[in-house]
Amino acid sequence: MGDWICGWAFFEISACPRFLSLSQVSVRSSFIGPVIRWSLFDTGRVRARIAASEARTKEALIVYDRTVLRALQETDDAFKAYGAAGSTLGLRLLESAANREAARLARVRFSAGEGIYLEVLEAERSDFASRRALAVARTHQRLDIVSIYKALGGGWEICAQADQDCSGADGMSN
C-alpha cells in the first residue's frame, strides 16, 4: 500500500488504523503536530474581513426579513381577496335567486295573459346575466383559494426531470 496522510499535518504513515500509537507511525519529517497560522501583524486585514463578514450577515438578514414580509403580505392579500370573493359570491347568489324568481313570475304572468312577452325576455335576460355573474364569482373564489394555498407555500410538482412520473391521478400526462 502507498503512504497515507492521516490526522495531523505534515507526517506520513504507512497505515492509518483507527487508533495510532507512536510505534506504528513512520515519520519522515522531524515535525509532528498541528499547524497553527495566525496573522498577528495583519490586524487591519483581519478587522476588514470581520467587518465584511458582518456586512454579509446583515445583508442576508435583510434579504430574509424582506422575503418573510413579502410572504406575509401575499398571504394577507390572498385572505383578503378570498373574503371579498366570498362576500361577492353571497351577493351574486342572492341576485341570481331573485332574478330566477322574477323570470319565473314573468313567465307565469305571461301564461295567464297578464303580461307581455317583452317582460319575460327582459326577466330571462337578467336571470342569465346574474347566472353568468354567479359563475364568474365562483371562479374568482376558487382562484382566491388557490392564491391562499400558493401564499402559504403550497407546492406545485416540478416534472422537469425525466426520471419522474408526471402523470396526474387520472394517469394522463400534465
Side-chain angles (χ1 to χ4, degrees):
M1 276 194 182
D3 290 342
W4 295 84
I5 297 179
C6 181
W8 296 19
F10 299 117
F11 69 90
E12 297 179 3
I13 57 174
S14 58
C16 188
R18 189 170 192 140
F19 299 102
L20 294 174
S21 67
L22 288 178
S23 64
Q24 294 174 334
V25 177
S26 71
V27 179
R28 292 187 184 176
S29 174
S30 62
F31 176 77
I32 297 177
V35 176
I36 299 174
R37 199 170 111 202
W38 182 260
S39 304
L40 183 61
F41 300 110
D42 292 340
T43 57
R45 187 180 313 161
V46 170
R47 286 185 181 155
R49 284 192 308 208
I50 291 171
S53 176
E54 288 175 352
R56 284 191 300 272
T57 303
K58 286 179 183 178
E59 179 184 10
L61 182 63
I62 289 169
V63 169
Y64 174 77
D65 286 344
R66 188 179 327 138
T67 303
V68 169
L69 288 175
R70 186 179 318 120
L72 289 173
Q73 182 67 43
E74 288 174 3
T75 304
D76 188 49
D77 291 346
F79 276 111
K80 285 179 183 177
Y82 176 72
S87 298
T88 301
L89 180 61
L91 293 174
R92 294 297 181 196
L93 282 168
L94 291 174
E95 177 189 23
S96 179
N99 284 334
R100 190 175 310 121
E101 182 64 18
R104 187 189 69 78
L105 290 175
R107 282 190 297 276
V108 168
R109 284 188 55 194
F110 178 74
S111 297
E114 294 179 10
I116 59 173
Y117 195 67
L118 183 61
E119 291 175 354
V120 174
L121 291 176
E122 187 64 32
E124 287 181 350
R125 185 195 59 77
S126 295
D127 181 33
F128 290 135
S130 66
R131 287 184 189 190
R132 182 183 178 282
L134 177 62
V136 169
R138 283 185 177 143
T139 302
H140 284 296
Q141 185 191 33
R142 290 344 185 261
L143 290 174
D144 290 336
I145 289 171
V146 171
S147 295
I148 289 173
Y149 184 69
K150 184 179 172 186
L152 290 175
W156 315 115
E157 293 183 20
I158 299 175
C159 295
Q161 290 89 8
D163 60 340
Q164 290 184 349
D165 179 25
C166 296
S167 59
D170 58 358
M172 300 293 290
S173 178
N174 293 338

